[in-house]
Each structure stands twice: as C-alpha cells, then as structure tokens.
Amino acid sequence: MAHPPTPISPPLKDELDIVIPTIRNLDFLEMWRPFFQPYHLIIVQDGDPTKTIRVPDGFDYELYNRNDINRILGPKASCISFKDSACRCFGFLVSKKKYVFTIDDDCFVAKDPTGKEINALEQHIKNLLMPATPFFFNTLYDPFREGADFVRGYPFSFREGVPTAISHGLWLNIPDYDAPTQLVKPLERNTRYVDAVMTVPKGTLFPMCGMNLAFNKELIGPAMYFGLMGDGQPIGRYDDMWAGWCSKVICDHLSLGVKTGLPYIWHSKASNPFVNLKKEYKGIYWQEEIIPFFQSVVLPRECTTVQKCYLELAKQVKEKLGPVDPYFQKLGDAMVTWIEAWEELTAPPQANDQPTKTPIKEEPSPKPK
Amino acid sequence: MAHPPTPISPPLKDELDIVIPTIRNLDFLEMWRPFFQPYHLIIVQDGDPTKTIRVPDGFDYELYNRNDINRILGPKASCISFKDSACRCFGFLVSKKKYVFTIDDDCFVAKDPTGKEINALEQHIKNLLMPATPFFFNTLYDPFREGADFVRGYPFSFREGVPTAISHGLWLNIPDYDAPTQLVKPLERNTRYVDAVMTVPKGTLFPMCGMNLAFNKELIGPAMYFGLMGDGQPIGRYDDMWAGWCSKVICDHLSLGVKTGLPYIWHSKASNPFVNLKKEYKGIYWQEEIIPFFQSVVLPRECTTVQKCYLELAKQVKEKLGPVDPYFQKLGDAMVTWIEAWEELTAPPQANDQPTKTPIKEEPSPKPK
C-alpha cells in the first residue's frame, strides 16, 4: 500500500524560539527568511520604547520593549539590562519553548566554501540534538557527525556522551574581538571556514559570544542570564561572557555538554572600538580575577538543578568577587532576582498558589502596524 | 647596496630528526623526498634484524635493528618493545636533536582542499615554535595563526601562551580507529579537512596517535616512552596512547602545551582489524581504569623536571594500576629503566664520571647497500 509522502517540517518548528535584541528595523531578517520564517521570533526592543521597530512581513513574532519588560516583571525588571544587548535574556525568560536560538541583527547568512548558504539554525539544532563529549578529547572532532567517529584510545564508557545544553556558533568576516584587538588590527577579517564542531572539555572555560548562540532551555535556561550591563552599570560587552562562564561551570557540574564551531554566520559590521573600549575597560581588568574565580569554583553536591547551582553561584560571586568591586554585590543580587523571575514566569500554574501571589501577565505590546 | 639573496634553509634542518619505525623497505620516502631529504632520519628496524631494509638513495640516515638496540642498551634494552611500533621510542633516545618528528611508513603526502601537497613537517615545526594556550579555550582556534587572534573575553594574562611541547597531526583517508570501530565501519574514510590547530586544554586527556607526531625533546622527551607492547606482552596498539596520557599529565603539571589538528598525512592502509582486536582487547577494558587514574593523578610540587615527573608517575602506576594487572608492575619498572637509559644516553659527558660507569656506545649498524 502506498503511503502519501510525509511533508517535511522544519526541525523543532514548534519547539524553538528565535530571540533577537535590537534597536533598529529588522531588515536583516529578509536574508534569513528561507530559514527563519517557519519559526516564532521574540524581539526584545532595547532603548527608546516609543520608537517603532519594523519587522518584515510574514514573520510570526512578539515584540517586547522596555515598558513591557517593566510591566511584566515589576520590580524584578531591575535584573534586565537596558541599552545593552544583555536585554536579550528577557526573551529567554518569556519564551515558552524548549530551545532558544539567539542572533544579533547585524549577522547575515554566511556561505560555506562551496558557495552554499549556511542554514545556521539547522546546524545549531543538529548540535543540540546530538550528544556532547566533555570528558575526553576526540581528535577527529565531533564523533557523532557523519563520516567521523571516536578514534582509537577513546574510552568506550565515554562514548554515549552527555546531553548538549549549548551550541556556540562562529562568525565569518568581522571576528568577535575586544576593543584593544580591534584597535590594533582594524582590518582583520575572519576568512577561515573551519569545518568542525567540538565539545569544550569539562573544566575548561571559553569565551561565549551571544551573537550566534543556541541552547536547550530545559537543560540550562536559568543560567543564561546576561548580567547587569549598559545603562547605569560600570561595564558593557561582558554580558555573554558572564552567561558563558556561569553556564559552563554549571554544565560541568551537571554533566551537560557545550559545543562550539559550526555554524558560521556573516558578521557584517565592526562596532566602534573607542566606544567598546569605554564599555570594556573595567571588564578587561576584572576578568583577571573573575576567570580564576570561575576556574576554581566548586558547586556542592546538593546543587542538583540549574536553579540551585545558579543561586549558589550568586552567593559565591558576592563573597569572592564582592571584594573586587561593589558591582559584584549588585550583580549577585540581580542573579537571585533573575532566578525569582525565571521561576515565576516558567513555573506551571499551581492549583494551591497563594492568592497573594499576583500572576504575572506576559502580554507583549500589540504588534505595530 | 644590493645584497645577495639569502639561501632559504629548511626550517630546523640541523635541529630535528625524523624517526621511522619499520619492518619493510622505505619506498614511502620517495613521495616525501621534497620535504624530508634535507633532514636526518633515524630508522628503527623492528622484527628480524637479519633482514635488510632498503632506503631510497639520497637520504641521510642511521638505522638501528634489534641487535643494535641490545648492544647499545645492554640489559636496559628490556624497556624497548619488540615486534611493535612502540620500538620507535628507541629512536627518540638516540636522537641528538632538539626536535623529533615521527611518522609511520604507511603514511603518504596528503593534499589540502586546493590540491596542494601538504608539507606535514613544516606545519609541525610551526606548531612547535609557536606558543600553546592550554588555560582557556579560544573559539577561533590557534590565536597565533595569521588572520586569527584571541577573541573578546580571552583573559589578557593568558595571551602570552606557554611553550609547545607536542604537535599531534591527523590523517586523511584511513582514520585511526580501534578494532571494534574498524570492524563495524570497514568502509569509513576520513575526507574532512579541518583547517585548524588547537591546544588540548589543561586537564583534558586526548588519544595521542604516533603515526604523525612531533615534539620538543628538550621539553618533553623523557615522557615519550611508548611502553611495553608486542612480543611477550599482553597488549599492543596502546604504545602511543600510553605516551600520550603520560606526556599530557606531565605537560599539564609543567605548564607546557600540546597541540592537535593540522598537519594531515594520507594514511594509506587500514591494518587488519582481527589482528588488532587481539592486540587491543586487554587495553580496551584496562583503559576504563587507566583513564580515571590519569584524570586524577597529582604530581607533587617537587617534580620540577620531566624525569622527576616520569619517575613519580611510574611509582603511581605500580601502586594504583598494579592491582588491575601484574602487567602494570612490569610497565612501571620499564618506565624507570627507560629514564635510566634516557639519562645515560642524553647526559652530557662529565669530567668526573665514575670510572665504573661504562660509556654506552651508540654506533648504529653500518648502512646497508
């Protein structure tokens, strides 16, 4: 008996949201249309909430501006940064899906060496759905990829791998450099397409960039807090780094995997290195103390969930980094607020909820136009 | 004033030996002639010492067979394996150079994606002469490569890097699989050229393959012992793995770097998986105890040289792995013998040497032909 052909649905169509922080019209979506249009977008409008952000026709989206964030989170809105792409994590909070892909609005579709346009989202989904291998290095890179495997000497008991929590993609054209490197090498472009995905080994920190990033919200969502940056804060451009350090130590503790490599996006425009230097300079010297802290942090055995891990981390941040600068006291408090907001917005409704607890309304602003 | 053009000398021409273990005529060198001919070769003939190994004309080489090994090392020859490519480490012992490149005789010149023949040795030399970055992961791979750098968020205090001790190259065509994987995937070929070199992070073990490998003898030489394999031993095909585990934990302890990735060679022929299974099967289950041992090994602060580290490791191998199988007692003893041989053969002649200490003669067999 002949079966009708099964229609091919985009992978994880109903299980993934695309989160985009922006201050401008989202014309960049035109180029992504073939890949993104089937998915739901969550747009986090930064800066002036009275400004109208134009979204190309045909996309399914919800848009939140600062007024929405304040309305939905109330006093807890203090943990969401303003005038900094760190505001993107508000999108993670309101997403109802299992997976999140987040991308900057100056990132376009890159081409692989054969000239084919790269479906970045599809590669992230592959990365997230296949296991990771953090306990031992595989010299032929991702052992689960077609045409590859574990090499001789790879312990068999590690070959099952662990669930992948994070997929970190890379950038062709403008590399993600800090301000000093931008200043020293203004013309450097990344033209090297490295055809590999790999697991960042357990115990190793990496600089996680938020430009082209996907994660499993159920596995690691509560650790994807982008910190206090931008308006009223002494630091910027460390939002994704902060989330990367926190989420990596928690992934290590909970035996979850973090992958980096493919997919590439085309990063179109270098940000202003002089502006960046002003945002970064405190981070540049603070990180010399932050990194040793994260390299040596130990989470107790009782921390069996991401939330518990994150609250423990918040406590240790205040204790150990507080002496570096009062900013870290504030950041530690904001980490706790973030978890409170996370639990309120993502908790399934309970029949015996205390009546004093006002349910949070998450309706976004009406779509413009 | 015009200067005469400076003649270009092959890099490290007088500071590097190429070590080749073999049981057959070295016709494979023909293909490597443009790259290897300027260098000195050390050929370690395995198996029947009465057999004549033919070396193509024009190569500068010394050849050692089992009789030479026995004559030069005396009773200490017991630490050099027989009928196993592990015998290659005898070549490391007698080399007088700072750098060693070792390659199997079934490895040919590979081509990069543009069709250009890859000078594997030149890439290894680049890897060894540039620093490594074991303390933090750089998402754009080797930051010292042209067109790349450290990305945003990479701590500045780590950017100097550390000296590179080991450069581990990869293989196109026949991948380095264990016997079970060979049996399951007899037709799998590695066709993916990954254009990257990376540092294996501190604290992470990797499966080091001896097929296409270079190292700095001054930095890590004494740890490059390939163990007891082959004739009279219960195990084979774990020689390079053993050297990899030992050298990696010592590199981590001494803050030295290990790189993997480029260069590729073309691995021509899969070895017999049935024969391999027989050699490997004990290793396959032993490694489930060996890996946790190496992952948790701690070398005391007093171990400030590779030799001291290696002797400490030998002691711990006997203590901790001895209970797994008496083989590890024997191996621990052989590790000590290896260091004794290393110190005798590489120690600079001392004016006040004890007269009872017979100087070891290292003259190789006369070149055949």
Side-chain angles (χ1 to χ4, degrees):
Chain A
M1 214 180 92
H3 291 276
T6 316
I8 296 168
S9 175
L12 302 183
K13 189 183 109 43
D14 299 317
E15 295 180 76
L16 182 142
D17 282 336
I18 300 175
V19 173
I20 304 164
T22 193
I23 49 167
R24 55 175 84 97
N25 294 329
L26 292 180
D27 304 326
F28 91 112
L29 285 172
E30 279 303 347
M31 197 179 184
W32 288 106
R33 189 181 289 277
F35 305 130
F36 290 178
Q37 196 161 339
Y39 296 88
H40 181 68
L41 312 182
I42 297 178
I43 298 161
V44 184
Q45 176 179 354
D46 199 18
D48 180 4
T50 66
K51 197 181 154 186
T52 299
I53 298 286
R54 203 175 54 239
V55 181
D57 285 344
F59 283 93
D60 169 43
Y61 71 96
E62 52 195 299
L63 184 149
Y64 298 88
N65 63 29
R66 191 69 208 184
N67 295 337
D68 301 313
I69 294 172
N70 290 340
R71 179 172 45 78
I72 291 168
L73 290 182
K76 295 194 182 72
S78 62
C79 76
I80 304 296
S81 300
F82 186 45
K83 296 193 179 167
D84 192 284
S85 70
C87 69
R88 82 172 79 222
C89 65
F90 179 78
F92 309 159
L93 211 51
V94 294
S95 166
K96 297 278 174 257
K97 308 287 174 59
K98 183 172 175 183
Y99 300 95
V100 166
F101 170 48
T102 183
I103 184 168
D104 279 4
D105 63 6
D106 61 347
C107 292
F108 293 87
V109 178
K111 289 181 178 173
D112 73 15
T114 70
K116 191 170 166 246
E117 297 205 322
I118 299 165
N119 184 346
L121 180 50
E122 185 183 43
Q123 179 67 49
H124 277 299
I125 290 171
K126 274 187 199 167
N127 294 349
L128 289 172
L129 295 184
M130 298 296 272
T133 52
F135 306 126
F136 204 82
F137 192 95
N138 194 48
T139 51
L140 287 185
Y141 311 101
D142 181 1
F144 298 106
R145 189 167 172 185
E146 207 181 329
D149 211 311
F150 293 98
V151 300
R152 181 171 58 91
Y154 202 102
F156 280 82
S157 58
F158 290 156
R159 295 193 185 194
E160 217 174 90
V162 302
T164 302
I166 298 174
S167 167
H168 177 260
L170 301 175
W171 342 276
L172 289 173
N173 195 37
I174 307 288
D176 186 32
Y177 286 164
D178 48 66
T181 308
Q182 279 186 298
L183 288 164
V184 171
K185 292 178 152 183
L187 298 179
E188 190 149 292
R189 297 294 177 266
N190 186 24
T191 57
R192 181 172 298 121
Y193 181 94
V194 174
D195 187 14
V197 176
M198 71 188 55
T199 299
V200 184
K202 181 174 177 175
T204 300
L205 293 175
F206 78 116
M208 188 180 83
C209 170
M211 221 190 293
N212 171 24
L213 180 72
F215 59 92
N216 181 323
K217 212 182 135 171
E218 283 181 9
L219 291 179
I220 198 64
M224 280 291 174
Y225 174 50
F226 275 49
L228 290 177
M229 305 279 148
D231 196 52
Q233 307 300 341
I235 181 175
R237 281 171 59 83
Y238 272 87
D239 53 338
D240 42 6
M241 297 300 140
W242 186 259
W245 301 325
C246 293
S247 58
K248 183 59 166 63
V249 299
I250 292 174
C251 282
D252 285 350
H253 177 73
L254 297 175
S255 288
L256 299 169
V258 176
K259 290 181 186 171
T260 182
L262 303 183
Y264 286 93
I265 52 79
W266 180 266
H267 186 207
S268 62
K269 199 164 147 272
S271 45
N272 184 319
F274 301 97
V275 173
N276 291 346
L277 191 61
K278 189 178 164 195
K279 292 178 180 172
E280 282 174 12
Y281 78 98
K282 279 181 195 274
I284 285 173
Y285 66 85
W286 283 345
Q287 78 184 353
E288 299 295 336
E289 310 216 37
I290 298 171
I291 298 300
F293 164 73
F294 278 106
Q295 283 181 330
S296 62
V297 78
V298 177
L299 297 170
R301 194 179 284 258
E302 309 84 77
C303 292
T304 50
T305 66
V306 180
Q307 278 94 325
K308 284 181 190 166
C309 290
Y310 203 74
L311 291 173
E312 170 67 24
L313 210 47
K315 200 183 86 193
Q316 295 192 28
V317 163
K318 291 173 71 168
E319 269 170 32
K320 306 267 178 66
L321 295 178
V324 174
D325 193 279
Y327 167 73
F328 292 99
Q329 296 287 350
K330 230 175 24 169
L331 179 55
D333 288 335
M335 291 167 75
V336 175
T337 306
W338 161 263
I339 292 295
E340 289 167 0
W342 186 274
E343 289 182 341
E344 282 191 31
L345 265 77
T346 62
Q350 304 253 323
N352 56 353
D353 257 357
Q354 298 303 312
T356 51
K357 201 169 177 184
T358 317
I360 289 179
K361 286 185 65 180
E362 293 164 54
E363 273 170 34
S365 300
K367 288 185 190 184
K369 182 156 68 135
Chain B
M1 215 180 93
H3 290 276
T6 317
I8 298 168
S9 176
L12 302 182
K13 189 183 109 43
D14 300 316
E15 294 180 78
L16 182 142
D17 283 336
I18 300 176
V19 172
I20 303 164
T22 194
I23 50 167
R24 54 175 85 97
N25 294 329
L26 292 180
D27 304 326
F28 91 112
L29 284 172
E30 279 303 347
M31 197 180 185
W32 288 105
R33 190 181 288 278
F35 305 131
F36 289 179
Q37 196 160 340
Y39 295 88
H40 181 69
L41 312 181
I42 297 178
I43 298 161
V44 184
Q45 176 178 355
D46 198 18
D48 180 5
T50 66
K51 196 181 156 188
T52 300
I53 297 287
R54 204 175 54 237
V55 181
D57 285 343
F59 283 94
D60 169 43
Y61 70 96
E62 51 195 300
L63 183 149
Y64 297 89
N65 63 30
R66 191 68 207 185
N67 295 337
D68 300 314
I69 295 172
N70 290 340
R71 180 173 44 78
I72 291 167
L73 290 183
K76 295 193 181 73
S78 61
C79 76
I80 303 297
S81 299
F82 186 46
K83 295 192 178 167
D84 191 284
S85 71
C87 69
R88 81 172 80 221
C89 64
F90 179 77
F92 310 159
L93 210 52
V94 294
S95 165
K96 297 280 174 255
K97 307 288 174 58
K98 184 173 176 183
Y99 300 95
V100 165
F101 169 49
T102 183
I103 184 168
D104 279 5
D105 63 6
D106 62 348
C107 292
F108 293 88
V109 178
K111 289 181 178 173
D112 72 16
T114 71
K116 191 171 165 244
E117 297 207 321
I118 299 165
N119 184 345
L121 180 50
E122 185 183 43
Q123 179 68 47
H124 277 299
I125 290 170
K126 275 187 197 165
N127 294 350
L128 289 171
L129 295 184
M130 298 297 272
T133 53
F135 306 126
F136 205 82
F137 192 93
N138 195 47
T139 50
L140 287 185
Y141 311 100
D142 181 1
F144 298 106
R145 190 168 171 185
E146 208 182 330
D149 211 312
F150 293 97
V151 299
R152 180 171 58 92
Y154 202 102
F156 281 82
S157 58
F158 290 156
R159 295 192 186 195
E160 217 174 89
V162 301
T164 302
I166 297 173
S167 168
H168 177 260
L170 301 176
W171 343 276
L172 290 173
N173 195 38
I174 306 289
D176 186 33
Y177 287 164
D178 48 66
T181 307
Q182 280 185 299
L183 288 164
V184 171
K185 292 178 153 184
L187 298 178
E188 190 150 290
R189 298 293 177 265
N190 186 24
T191 58
R192 182 172 296 122
Y193 181 93
V194 175
D195 187 14
V197 175
M198 72 188 54
T199 298
V200 183
K202 181 175 176 175
T204 301
L205 293 175
F206 78 116
M208 188 179 83
C209 170
M211 222 190 293
N212 170 24
L213 180 72
F215 59 91
N216 180 322
K217 212 183 135 170
E218 283 181 9
L219 292 179
I220 197 65
M224 281 292 176
Y225 174 50
F226 274 50
L228 290 177
M229 304 279 148
D231 197 51
Q233 306 300 341
I235 182 175
R237 281 172 58 85
Y238 272 86
D239 53 337
D240 42 6
M241 297 300 139
W242 186 258
W245 300 325
C246 293
S247 58
K248 183 59 166 63
V249 299
I250 293 174
C251 282
D252 284 351
H253 177 73
L254 297 175
S255 287
L256 299 170
V258 176
K259 290 181 185 171
T260 182
L262 303 182
Y264 286 93
I265 53 79
W266 179 265
H267 186 207
S268 62
K269 199 165 146 272
S271 45
N272 184 318
F274 301 98
V275 173
N276 290 348
L277 190 61
K278 190 178 162 193
K279 292 178 179 173
E280 283 175 11
Y281 78 98
K282 279 181 195 274
I284 284 173
Y285 65 85
W286 283 345
Q287 78 185 354
E288 299 295 337
E289 310 216 36
I290 298 172
I291 298 300
F293 164 73
F294 279 106
Q295 283 181 330
S296 62
V297 79
V298 177
L299 297 171
R301 195 179 283 259
E302 308 83 77
C303 293
T304 51
T305 66
V306 180
Q307 277 94 326
K308 283 180 191 167
C309 290
Y310 203 75
L311 291 173
E312 170 67 24
L313 209 49
K315 199 182 88 192
Q316 295 192 28
V317 163
K318 291 173 71 168
E319 268 170 34
K320 307 265 179 65
L321 295 177
V324 174
D325 193 280
Y327 167 73
F328 292 98
Q329 295 288 350
K330 228 173 29 168
L331 180 54
D333 288 334
M335 291 167 75
V336 175
T337 305
W338 160 262
I339 291 296
E340 289 168 357
W342 186 274
E343 288 182 342
E344 282 191 31
L345 265 77
T346 62
Q350 303 253 322
N352 57 353
D353 257 357
Q354 297 303 312
T356 53
K357 199 169 176 182
T358 318
I360 289 179
K361 286 185 66 179
E362 292 165 56
E363 274 170 34
S365 300
K367 290 184 189 184
K369 171 163 72 135

